[in-house]
Amino acid sequence: QVQLVESGGGLVQAGGSLRLSCLASGSIFSEHDMAWHRQAPGKQRELVAGITSSGSTYYADSVKGRFTVSRDNAKNTAYLQMNSLKPEDTAVYYCNALPSRLTGWRNVWGQGTQVTVSS
């Protein structure tokens, strides 16, 4: 069963950048479709970006042109490069392995990493 550990969150000023990492273990990382979600206080968790096992990417409209999702299968790691950060990007960011036969057809989540953008 895959396990996910996020890192790279922190406090940054508006306009700054952060890169989040998601280290996977316990499974064949290259075969997983991966995604990043976020949850701000008092709001529902929302999809930010995703990358398939074949490398196709997709983004929420709110982050298009500012965020880039990528993966390094040799390092069992997915990344979320976040540029031009805004205060409204403040949230806990979660890495997600999408449901597949490898996950028992359920979502697998990391513990989350806090991103705080000050104005």
Side-chain angles (χ1 to χ4, degrees):
Q1 183 68 281
V2 63
Q3 293 98 44
L4 305 173
V5 178
E6 302 98 332
S7 62
L11 174 63
V12 63
Q13 289 189 330
S17 298
L18 283 174
R19 188 177 79 158
L20 306 183
S21 299
C22 173
L23 177 63
S25 61
S27 186
I28 306 171
F29 175 71
S30 62
E31 296 187 7
H32 286 278
D33 293 341
M34 303 295 297
W36 289 93
H37 298 248
R38 67 186 180 187
Q39 188 166 18
K43 294 188 177 181
Q44 288 190 332
R45 191 172 296 190
E46 62 176 358
L47 174 70
V48 175
I51 183 166
T52 68
S53 58
S54 61
S56 297
T57 59
Y58 50 94
Y59 299 91
D61 287 344
S62 59
V63 306
K64 280 181 182 176
R66 300 189 298 123
F67 290 12
T68 303
V69 61
S70 63
R71 66 192 300 157
D72 185 337
N73 291 334
K75 295 183 178 180
N76 290 344
T77 302
Y79 301 99
L80 185 67
Q81 178 67 45
M82 305 185 295
N83 298 329
S84 303
L85 282 161
K86 305 175 181 180
E88 51 264 43
D89 294 318
T90 295
V92 177
Y93 283 71
Y94 296 91
C95 181
N96 166 226
L98 275 66
S100 73
R101 61 175 180 81
L102 296 173
T103 68
W105 300 106
R106 63 183 184 89
N107 279 297
V108 177
W109 299 93
Q111 83 287 351
T113 186
Q114 176 71 48
V115 172
T116 303
V117 184
S118 63
S119 57

